[in-house]
Amino acid sequence: TILFLLRSFEYSQKNAVLVPAAALGVGGILVFWLRSRHKIKTIEMGDGWWGSGERPLKGKEDESIRPFKIETSDKEIEDLHRRLEQARYTPPLEGAAFHYGFNSNYLQKVVAYWRNQFDWRKQVEVLNKYPHFQTTIEGIDIHFIHVKPSYVPHGRAVQPLLMVHGWPGSFYEFYKIIPLLTEPAEHGLNEGDVVFEVICPSIPGYGFSEAPHQKGFDTIATARIFHKLMNRLGFKQYYVQGGDWGSRVTTNMAQMLPQSVKGLHLNVVFVNKQGLGRIISVMLGAYLPWLVGLTREDARRIYPFMQKNVYEILRESGYLHIQATKPDTAGCGLNDSPVGLAAYILEKFSTWTDKSFLDKDDGSLESKYSLDELLTNVMIYWVTSSIVSSMRYYKENFSNDPHLTAHARVGVHVPTGIAAFPQELLHTPRVWAKQVFKNIVTYSYMPRGGHFAAFEEPKLLAQDIMHFVRKVEQL
């Protein structure tokens, strides 16, 4: 009996150790599984080399930030004038307006203004009014402007904001919105608590950022370079904002380093996810929008569906198919002819601002922008010979199945603000955006405006950015 009791005690002692240990082990596995399920997926940051030739084996990259100034010359302007004078035109069809592309009758008026009244030297001074810089990242020189507020009220935090342009735009698109963000009190936007310092880089291959010398430079590579830029400027956390390609780049930045991106603000949203759910949403939304989470405004903007999401997109995306397949072929003519370049670029500033402008003989271009503003953007492409490298960006980003890319497989979990402008090429309802953007803090139906929001409606966009950041800072 004593031996039996001793053995029972010994066995119970073992259980006293083994059972909790086993429970702890199983519990640990369960906790790990649960945490791994909720762990935020990110895009691998990786590394890259876009300079000419192979990456040097030794020697650290020059990380200095160098002041940069845009310059021009008599030779540059004389060459431009000679080419403008020698342009040939094909008369438009009667009543064609802008339905066949840029109307050549109006184009001749634009070119006459360009040749005889447009003052490039004056516009260079305008461009240089903000501080410009260059720095070398992954083998290429990155251009950016960095504008700080001249005065910050006591106790107010300055928020760093990276703003990224798209095609066929440039850093110049942000010139009208920058003072609203850095000096809000002077422009009637002083709502008490939000002031920014603004960083606007040129995407590599656009404007004064060096073009990549290697194949494969896409938005993920751009996102990594811009994170490195912000880190080099001394920022650990920052807001990011974008439209067009800038939307994709800044979204990738949020997917890559969510701990660095305090908030993501977009004025166009790309959601690739399709499937049966989307088909059902589209079919039911035409009759019972509330049943599938669509608002009345969503329904107004996306229906009739085939007209607004298929026919109009096919009409407006011919350039995309060319640039995503054979950019260098089409680019040859544009890089050689300033008139061809202007027609190709400015046609987008007409139709993408308002689709109804197709019906106007002058594309209603001057109803929203001045010719000086429009031609300054064209000149940035002309003097840097960057149209071909900007077009290649499409091929690099559409060379793979979009559903297989890291961008499509990773959600966005940082606080997100969306400004939905009514004349944007595609409308993405909030309920669709939530499939990718998991933390939408603000979603605004903007009262007017199209694709080039910062250029066309700077005050509306600035107000929405401030509203978004204010909410994030209160979280």
Side-chain angles (χ1 to χ4, degrees), residues 277-290 292-310 312 426-427 429 431-432:
R278 176 63 60 82
I279 294 171
I280 293 170
S281 178
V282 168
M283 292 176 66
L284 290 178
Y287 306 99
L288 300 167
W290 53 269
V292 289
L294 299 179
T295 66
R296 286 184 179 180
E297 183 62 18
D298 290 329
R300 192 181 70 80
R301 293 188 184 191
I302 64 176
Y303 296 105
F305 189 82
M306 289 299 290
Q307 177 191 328
K308 292 188 176 181
N309 297 272
V310 179
E312 288 183 1
L426 274 176
H427 176 68
V431 67
W432 295 357

Side-chain angles (χ1 to χ4, degrees), residues 161-163 238-243 246-248 250-251 254 261-270 412-421 428-430 433-434 436-446 453 460-473 475:
L161 174 65
L162 179 85
M163 304 188 79
Y238 32 89
Y239 287 92
V240 294
Q241 200 283 330
S247 170
R248 176 84 172 256
T250 53
T251 296
V261 177
K262 292 182 75 176
L264 166 69
H265 187 278
L266 307 172
N267 54 274
V268 63
V269 171
F270 302 110
V412 179
H413 296 270
V414 306
T416 302
I418 298 170
F421 285 83
T428 303
R430 182 175 187 147
K434 282 167 65 177
V436 173
F437 302 91
K438 309 299 184 182
N439 186 9
I440 298 175
V441 175
T442 63
Y443 184 100
S444 308
Y445 294 101
M446 307 305 283
L460 283 180
L461 184 61
Q463 288 172 326
D464 200 70
I465 293 169
M466 289 178 172
H467 173 60
F468 164 66
V469 170
R470 190 174 295 110
K471 284 216 167 185
V472 175
E473 291 296 313
L475 292 176

Side-chain angles (χ1 to χ4, degrees), residues 176-235:
K176 288 186 280 188
I177 198 173
I178 286 172
L180 307 184
L181 297 169
T182 57
E183 314 287 350
E186 294 182 19
H187 297 88
L189 295 174
N190 186 17
E191 297 183 29
D193 50 354
V194 181
V195 178
F196 298 93
E197 60 178 294
V198 180
I199 300 92
C200 298
S202 296
I203 295 172
Y206 287 70
F208 299 98
S209 277
E210 185 178 353
H213 298 267
Q214 312 293 332
K215 294 187 293 182
F217 187 85
D218 57 10
T219 57
I220 291 175
T222 312
R224 181 178 64 244
I225 281 178
F226 287 172
H227 271 308
K228 289 182 177 180
L229 170 63
M230 294 301 279
N231 186 256
R232 194 170 289 185
L233 291 172
F235 300 115

Side-chain angles (χ1 to χ4, degrees), residues 36-194:
S36 65
R37 280 188 68 205
H38 292 93
K39 186 179 179 182
I40 295 174
K41 289 183 180 178
T42 59
I43 293 175
E44 287 292 325
M45 187 161 181
D47 200 7
W49 170 257
W50 309 104
S52 183
E54 293 186 6
R55 188 173 202 158
L57 295 175
K58 294 181 180 180
K60 193 177 180 183
E61 189 167 70
D62 177 10
E63 295 187 356
S64 65
I65 294 170
R66 307 175 292 276
F68 177 80
K69 189 175 182 181
I70 299 171
E71 296 178 340
T72 188
S73 65
D74 290 342
K75 184 179 178 182
E76 182 176 75
I77 294 170
E78 288 165 7
D79 176 67
L80 171 69
H81 287 173
R82 177 181 60 79
R83 291 169 186 265
L84 294 177
E85 289 163 0
Q86 294 178 350
R88 300 189 303 173
Y89 302 90
T90 301
L93 296 172
E94 294 180 9
F98 262 56
H99 285 276
Y100 284 69
F102 206 106
N103 186 292
S104 59
N105 286 341
Y106 178 60
L107 181 60
Q108 290 181 65
K109 295 178 182 178
V110 172
V111 171
Y113 180 88
W114 197 0
R115 170 63 183 84
N116 301 314
Q117 293 172 262
F118 178 76
D119 188 341
W120 176 231
R121 282 194 175 82
K122 179 183 173 184
Q123 293 308 116
V124 165
E125 290 179 12
V126 170
L127 290 173
N128 283 325
K129 75 176 182 178
Y130 294 131
H132 292 248
F133 303 91
Q134 277 190 340
T135 188
T136 306
I137 304 176
E138 298 188 7
I140 52 177
D141 290 337
I142 307 301
H143 161 262
F144 63 98
I145 57 175
H146 186 179
V147 187
K148 300 178 182 180
S150 59
Y151 168 73
V152 181
H154 178 70
R156 188 174 300 180
V158 178
Q159 303 293 345
L161 174 65
L162 179 85
M163 304 188 79
V164 185
H165 65 87
W167 187 92
S170 64
F171 67 93
Y172 177 61
E173 282 181 75
F174 301 116
Y175 267 49
K176 288 186 280 188
I177 198 173
I178 286 172
L180 307 184
L181 297 169
T182 57
E183 314 287 350
E186 294 182 19
H187 297 88
L189 295 174
N190 186 17
E191 297 183 29
D193 50 354
V194 181

Side-chain angles (χ1 to χ4, degrees), residues 251-379:
T251 296
N252 289 164
M253 291 179 75
Q255 293 169 314
M256 186 178 288
L257 291 179
Q259 68 274 23
S260 295
V261 177
K262 292 182 75 176
L264 166 69
H265 187 278
L266 307 172
N267 54 274
V268 63
V269 171
F270 302 110
V271 177
N272 291 327
K273 295 189 177 183
Q274 304 298 329
L276 183 60
R278 176 63 60 82
I279 294 171
I280 293 170
S281 178
V282 168
M283 292 176 66
L284 290 178
Y287 306 99
L288 300 167
W290 53 269
L291 192 62
V292 289
L294 299 179
T295 66
R296 286 184 179 180
E297 183 62 18
D298 290 329
R300 192 181 70 80
R301 293 188 184 191
I302 64 176
Y303 296 105
F305 189 82
M306 289 299 290
Q307 177 191 328
K308 292 188 176 181
N309 297 272
V310 179
Y311 300 136
E312 288 183 1
I313 294 304
L314 281 173
R315 183 191 68 208
E316 294 303 323
S317 60
Y319 80 98
L320 187 152
H321 297 280
I322 292 171
Q323 295 176 192
T325 52
K326 304 292 178 64
D328 286 32
T329 304
C332 285
L334 302 178
N335 197 43
D336 189 59
S337 166
V339 175
L341 180 68
Y344 196 72
I345 287 178
L346 296 186
E347 182 248 309
K348 306 306 179 194
F349 280 88
S350 169
T351 313
W352 293 2
T353 295
D354 191 319
K355 301 175 192 74
S356 70
F357 290 175
L358 280 167
D359 299 323
K360 307 294 184 180
D361 288 340
D362 62 357
S364 284
L365 271 171
E366 293 175 74
S367 67
K368 294 285 186 175
Y369 317 101
S370 72
L371 285 181
D372 281 346
E373 290 171 346
L374 293 167
L375 290 171
T376 296
N377 183 66
V378 173
M379 285 295 289

